[in-house]
């Protein structure tokens, strides 16, 4: 395997700062870097290695499979990778256009860090956003700084206060690391709790997600418990520590998915899963 690909796999595997779409773009750029002088089978092997860097993030798998599909269709590996990059880079524009028809503009609540949420809310410019800080890595604080930089009024809370503050919001807006065929989503731990609190208070929950985040049903690891280091939680070694990063939020708690192709019901994710399955089989064989 090429050194550039091995280095990219290592960066993506260890990255705890960037969202799924940003990591998928990094994987695509690594593929584009080797594309000019790689033969077809080598390029395919590189794409497969990048897919396995973060199996929880379906958008990486789908981005690689899309790039491979476009390479095969055009006969041009560089162009194929570029087309996949363009689709991901322009997705926030489409999601923002879809969001304008359904997401309120007064008070919203979110958690953790999602580039999709930040980019779309920067375009929508709601009056106020409540952000849960997302311990132990405090990704929510990064979201708060990014939105405050655009002049949006921010309230930062802990996860323990989500059920209290969801009552003040017109809607919950979250991103997704992966979307399953049944309409459930994989996202940072805390999303399920916020979704349950929203349902109890009759507050709608909208998920901002590119259609490339919908996972192929036969992808080997649909959900893997990914844990961080124990010292992120505490340095007291006499305690058993769990630091799970991601969880599944069921489809019944999702009001709608806001995608670059429009607003979709959770049940409509099966169509995108079928597309992902076709590409996945073509890439993996």
């Amino acid at each position: 395997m090429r050194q550039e690909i091995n280095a990219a796999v290592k960066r993506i595997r260890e990255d705890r700062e960037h969202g799924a779409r940003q990591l998928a773009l990094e994987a695509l750029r690594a593929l584009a870097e080797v594309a000019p002088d790689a033969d077809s089978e080598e390029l395919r092997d590189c794409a497969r290695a990048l897919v396995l860097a973060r199996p929880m993030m379906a958008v990486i798998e789908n981005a690689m499979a899309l790039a491979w599909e476009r390479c095969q269709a055009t006969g041009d590996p560089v162009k194929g990778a570029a087309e996949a990059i363009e689709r991901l880079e322009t997705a926030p524009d489409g999601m923002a256009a879809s969001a304008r028809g359904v997401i309120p503009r007064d008070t919203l609540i979110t958690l953790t860090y999602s580039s999709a949420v930040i980019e779309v809310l920067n375009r929508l410019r709601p009056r106020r956003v409540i952000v849960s800080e997302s311990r132990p890595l405090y990704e929510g604080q990064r979201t708060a700084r990014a939105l405050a930089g655009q002049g949006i009024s921010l309230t930062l809370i802990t996860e323990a206060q989500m059920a209290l503050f969801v009552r003040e919001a017109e809607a919950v807006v979250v991103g997704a690391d992966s979307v399953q065929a049944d309409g459930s989503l994989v996202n940072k731990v805390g999303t399920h709790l916020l979704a349950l609190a929203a349902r109890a208070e009759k507050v709608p929950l909208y998920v901002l997600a590119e259609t490339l985040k919908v996972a192929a049903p036969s992808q080997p690891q649909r959900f893997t418990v990914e844990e961080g280091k124990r010292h992120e939680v505490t340095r007291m070694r006499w305690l058993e520590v769990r630091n799970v990063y991601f969880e599944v939020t069921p489809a019944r708690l999702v009001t709608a998915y806001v995608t670059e192709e429009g607003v979709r019901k959770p049940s409509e994710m099966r169509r995108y899963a079928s597309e992902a399955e076709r590409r996945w089989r073509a890439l993996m064989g």
Side-chain angles (χ1 to χ4, degrees):
M1 186 60 60
R2 294 207 185 188
Q3 184 178 353
E4 306 97 300
I5 298 299
N6 285 333
V9 168
K10 186 174 187 294
R11 288 195 305 272
I12 292 167
R13 184 175 292 142
E14 296 177 354
D15 193 303
R16 294 295 180 268
E17 293 186 6
H18 297 97
R21 182 168 62 90
Q22 293 166 308
L23 295 180
L25 283 169
E26 180 169 356
L28 283 170
R29 289 170 185 139
L31 190 70
E33 184 179 351
V34 302
D37 60 347
D39 62 34
S40 180
E41 281 310 304
E42 184 181 16
L43 192 71
R44 191 180 196 183
D45 287 342
C46 290
R48 287 169 168 171
L50 289 161
V51 159
L52 298 175
R54 294 291 287 275
M56 280 282 293
M57 295 180 175
V59 67
I60 298 176
E61 129 198 350
N62 288 332
M64 292 297 101
L66 176 62
W68 173 251
E69 178 185 70
R70 298 313 303 151
C71 289
Q72 294 297 101
T74 64
D76 184 343
V78 175
K79 184 177 181 182
E83 288 183 5
I85 289 171
E86 181 182 13
R87 176 164 170 178
L88 271 183
E89 286 183 334
T90 58
D93 295 330
M95 286 189 286
S98 301
R100 288 189 180 97
V102 294
I103 294 180
R105 308 292 179 85
D106 188 57
T107 299
L108 305 174
I109 186 169
T110 189
L111 81 166
T112 194
Y113 178 88
S114 164
S115 59
V117 169
I118 290 168
E119 292 185 52
V120 170
L121 294 190
N122 280 343
R123 289 167 170 81
L124 292 183
R125 302 194 64 77
R127 181 185 66 83
R128 176 188 178 217
V129 179
I130 302 166
V131 183
S132 183
E133 63 183 2
S134 303
R135 296 181 181 183
L137 297 182
Y138 300 98
E139 299 97 329
Q141 292 187 16
R142 293 176 57 213
T143 295
R145 285 193 295 269
L147 295 175
Q150 298 297 314
I152 298 171
S153 177
L154 267 294
T155 301
L156 186 69
I157 63 171
T158 62
E159 269 73 64
Q161 299 177 80
M162 289 192 299
L164 178 64
F165 278 88
V166 74
R167 304 169 188 171
E168 299 182 14
E170 290 183 293
V172 175
V173 179
V174 299
D177 285 287
S178 181
V179 178
Q180 307 300 332
D182 64 359
S184 61
L185 69 138
V186 177
N187 201 43
K188 179 71 187 289
V189 165
T191 305
H192 192 182
L193 288 174
L194 182 55
L196 287 168
R199 174 59 61 90
E201 298 296 334
K202 297 181 172 56
V203 175
L205 184 149
Y206 297 105
V207 182
L208 298 174
E210 303 90 335
T211 54
L212 284 178
K213 285 188 175 177
V214 184
S218 69
Q219 200 270 354
Q221 294 176 296
R222 296 180 63 193
F223 177 72
T224 303
V225 175
E226 185 174 316
E227 293 202 42
K229 298 176 181 178
R230 70 185 318 278
H231 71 74
E232 293 172 352
V233 177
T234 181
R235 293 190 180 274
M236 293 187 289
R237 295 193 172 276
W238 56 273
L239 283 171
E240 178 186 1
V241 177
R242 297 298 303 274
N243 185 17
V244 178
Y245 279 160
F246 301 102
E247 66 182 352
V248 177
T249 298
R252 63 183 175 80
L253 299 178
V254 177
T255 302
Y257 283 91
V258 180
T259 79
E260 78 279 15
E261 295 187 4
V263 179
R264 300 287 184 261
K265 297 177 182 177
S267 60
E268 293 180 87
M269 295 300 104
R270 292 195 182 278
R271 174 167 68 88
Y272 297 108
S274 297
E275 294 174 6
E277 181 71 21
R278 174 180 54 78
R279 293 194 189 103
W280 171 257
R281 289 179 180 273
L283 174 63
M284 303 307 285

